[in-house]
């Protein structure tokens, strides 16, 4: 029993840190010999193999950044995995399991299996931090958007005031390295909440695309298409894709069709006005009267009655992809030198396959 606990202790140590290369090699060799010598003791052999796997894992990914929590250690001792929640941009979520050694890459692989996403190489986990609450109808700022070569650097606002519709909070998404430990990430979330003086920031894990590729159009996997559409729609509705009125009308009609399909006399529905309102970015919607938007949207909606919901999604993606900054991943700029005050306070950099 003491020997078994010793191997458990070594497993915990190896999962949190790794020795130098020379000692690690010696230790791995020793464990290999022990496993061979314990052929008749399956329980002890399993404990040694677990410790060895943990050491190999930490040698590859590096040491833990935080001390494993009491909950993680207890889970190891009883042989169970912990659970955490990963969100998608449409507000849905899935539970994933993790243990003291699980990294982001392994979590992504598990989640892809849960949601039946076979082509997940362009997806990853992001840290989502809600940095501030913005009252609906509140002003964030006024700015310009600039294209430098094939890349765009744009504030969240393009012209006039920015209104964030159903995405009322300002959120920042930070890409997480595939080798980062899931337990470390959750520990950082907890520490940040405890240290925060200005309100309680909200942190969560979000699964989304890291990059859009030319080959995406050829992928017919339903979950791949759904997640790509949801992400582009999300970025469009919070104002990351500034477009003109014509594109705004088309995109609103296509989004409505993708949501409700072909409905006769949709304009007579009690929900029609709300449908139009939530499928046009607020800064664009404020450029003309609400009734004008509704008339144009329903007119275009009738012209696409022959489409399926999936075809409507593909057309919406095509419109956004055709923009010079289409199919971008957006990041908040943390540090910026702007001595003459040319840029607004909040700046987003958009990165796509073109640059």
């Amino acid at each position: 029993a003491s020997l078994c606990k010793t191997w458990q202790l070594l497993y915990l140590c190896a999962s949190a840190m790794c020795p130098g290369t020379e000692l690690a090699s010696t230790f791995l060799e020793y464990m290999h010999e022990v496993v061979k010598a314990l052929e008749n003791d399956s329980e002890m052999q399993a404990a040694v193999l677990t410790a060895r796997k943990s050491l190999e894992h930490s040698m590859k990914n590096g040491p833990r950044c935080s001390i494993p929590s009491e909950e993680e250690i207890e889970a190891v001792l009883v042989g169970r995995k912990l659970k955490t929640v990963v969100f998608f941009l449409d507000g849905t979520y899935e539970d994933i399991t993790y243990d003291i050694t699980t990294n982001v890459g392994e979590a992504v692989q598990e989640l892809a299996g849960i949601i039946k996403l076979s082509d997940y190489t362009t997806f990853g986990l992001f840290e989502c931090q809600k940095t501030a609450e913005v009252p609906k109808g509140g002003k964030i700022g006024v700015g310009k958007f600039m294209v430098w070569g094939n890349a765009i650097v744009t504030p969240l606002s393009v012209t006039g005031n920015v209104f964030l519709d159903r995405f009322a909070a300002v959120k920042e998404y930070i890409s997480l390295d595939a080798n980062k430990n899931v337990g470390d990430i959750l520990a950082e979330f907890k520490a940040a909440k405890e240290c925060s003086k200005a309100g309680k920031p909200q942190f969560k894990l979000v699964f989304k695309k890291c990059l859009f590729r030319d080959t995406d159009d050829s992928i017919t996997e339903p979950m791949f298409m759904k997640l790509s559409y949801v992400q582009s729609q999300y970025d469009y509705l919070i104002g990351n894709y500034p477009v003109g009125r014509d594109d705004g009308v088309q995109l609103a009609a296509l989004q409505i069709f993708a949501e409700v399909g072909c409905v006769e006399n949709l304009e007579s529905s009690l929900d029609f006005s709300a449908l139009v309102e939530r499928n046009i970015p607020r800064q664009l919607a404020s450029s003309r009267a609400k009734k004008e938007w509704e008339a144009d949207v329903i007119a275009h909606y009738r012209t696409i009655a022959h489409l399926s919901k999936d075809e409507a999604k593909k057309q919406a993606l095509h419109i956004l992809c055709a923009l010079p900054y289409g199919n971008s991943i957006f990041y908040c700029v943390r540090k910026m030198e702007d001595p003459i005050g040319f840029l607004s306070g909040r700046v987003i950099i958009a990165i796509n396959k073109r640059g």
Side-chain angles (χ1 to χ4, degrees):
S2 294
L3 193 56
C4 203
K5 287 181 178 179
T6 302
W7 283 112
Q8 284 184 332
L9 181 60
L10 284 169
Y11 166 63
L12 291 170
C13 290
S15 66
M17 68 199 90
C18 54
T21 306
E22 187 177 343
L23 179 56
S25 299
T26 303
F27 196 39
L28 283 172
E29 188 178 337
Y30 168 70
M31 285 193 281
H32 179 70
E33 293 173 0
V34 172
V35 168
K36 288 199 318 188
L38 291 172
E39 288 181 352
N40 298 323
D41 190 340
S42 58
E43 184 182 358
M44 190 71 69
Q45 191 180 58
V48 180
L49 286 170
T50 302
R52 181 180 176 179
K53 182 181 176 183
S54 179
L55 180 60
E56 290 171 342
H57 204 284
S58 62
M59 288 172 68
K60 178 183 175 183
N61 299 322
R64 286 280 299 261
C65 297
S66 61
I67 298 171
S69 66
E70 188 174 333
E71 186 183 22
E72 287 180 275
I73 294 170
E74 287 175 353
V76 167
L77 297 178
V78 298
R80 68 178 173 87
K81 287 201 168 189
L82 301 171
K83 288 187 176 182
T84 191
V85 176
V86 176
F87 288 86
F88 304 95
L89 290 173
D90 60 359
T92 58
Y93 60 88
E94 289 285 352
D95 287 336
I96 60 166
T97 61
Y98 72 97
D99 60 25
I100 204 166
T101 64
T102 304
N103 63 25
V104 167
E106 292 163 341
V108 166
Q109 189 173 4
E110 181 191 344
L111 182 58
I114 293 170
I115 64 174
K116 296 179 171 57
L117 176 67
S118 60
D119 196 329
Y120 60 88
T121 54
T122 57
F123 289 84
L125 284 184
F126 287 71
E127 171 191 328
C128 175
Q129 179 180 352
K130 191 192 291 186
T131 55
E133 288 288 348
V134 180
K136 288 191 178 182
K139 182 177 178 181
I140 294 182
V142 179
K144 304 171 182 177
F145 91 88
M146 299 143 287
V147 178
W148 293 344
N150 287 325
I152 183 172
V153 176
T154 173
L156 188 62
S157 51
V158 180
T159 55
N161 296 344
V162 170
F163 302 93
L164 293 186
D165 195 21
R166 53 182 164 171
F167 310 109
V170 177
K171 296 176 181 177
E172 182 177 2
Y173 293 92
I174 301 169
S175 180
L176 295 170
D177 187 274
N179 290 325
K180 187 157 187 177
N181 186 280
V182 172
D184 281 342
I185 295 166
L186 299 177
E188 288 169 10
F189 288 178
K190 184 178 179 181
K193 288 178 183 178
E194 291 173 350
C195 294
S196 177
K197 296 179 181 178
K200 288 188 176 180
Q202 296 181 24
F203 298 88
K204 62 184 180 181
L205 293 173
V206 174
F207 183 76
K208 68 190 192 88
K209 281 183 77 72
C210 306
L211 182 70
F212 288 87
R213 304 168 301 183
D214 283 326
T215 53
D216 286 356
D217 290 340
S218 63
I219 298 174
T220 57
E221 192 177 352
M223 183 54 69
F224 185 95
M225 184 179 156
K226 176 187 174 182
L227 293 174
S228 299
Y229 173 75
V230 164
Q231 185 159 335
S232 293
Q233 181 190 37
Y234 174 88
D235 285 322
Y236 169 66
L237 290 175
I238 66 171
N240 283 344
Y241 285 117
V243 298
R245 291 183 184 180
D246 290 344
D247 282 342
V249 168
Q250 288 187 65
L251 286 164
L254 289 165
Q255 288 175 98
I256 291 170
F257 196 97
E259 184 176 341
V260 303
C262 185
V263 179
E264 288 188 19
N265 300 318
L266 181 63
E267 66 274 23
S268 304
S269 159
L270 293 174
D271 296 331
F272 178 65
S273 183
L275 275 173
V276 174
E277 184 178 1
R278 76 166 181 259
N279 284 294
I280 301 175
R282 284 292 180 90
Q283 75 271 22
L284 181 61
S286 62
S287 66
R288 63 194 301 214
K290 187 175 178 181
K291 292 295 182 185
E292 292 178 18
W293 279 114
E294 290 177 8
D296 287 348
V297 169
I298 195 63
H300 190 74
Y301 175 84
R302 291 186 184 123
T303 67
I304 59 174
H306 60 286
L307 298 178
S308 67
K309 288 185 177 182
D310 283 345
E311 287 170 339
K313 290 178 182 179
K314 284 181 180 178
Q315 284 199 19
L317 285 170
H318 180 74
I319 292 172
L320 293 175
C321 178
L323 300 171
Y325 41 91
N327 281 357
S328 290
I329 307 298
F330 299 90
Y331 296 94
C332 294
V333 175
R334 287 268 185 101
K335 186 177 181 181
M336 174 176 55
E337 293 184 9
D338 182 30
I340 61 174
F342 180 66
L343 301 173
S344 69
R346 180 173 170 80
V347 173
I348 294 171
I349 185 166
I351 302 173
N352 64 12
K353 62 189 179 185
R354 303 182 187 97

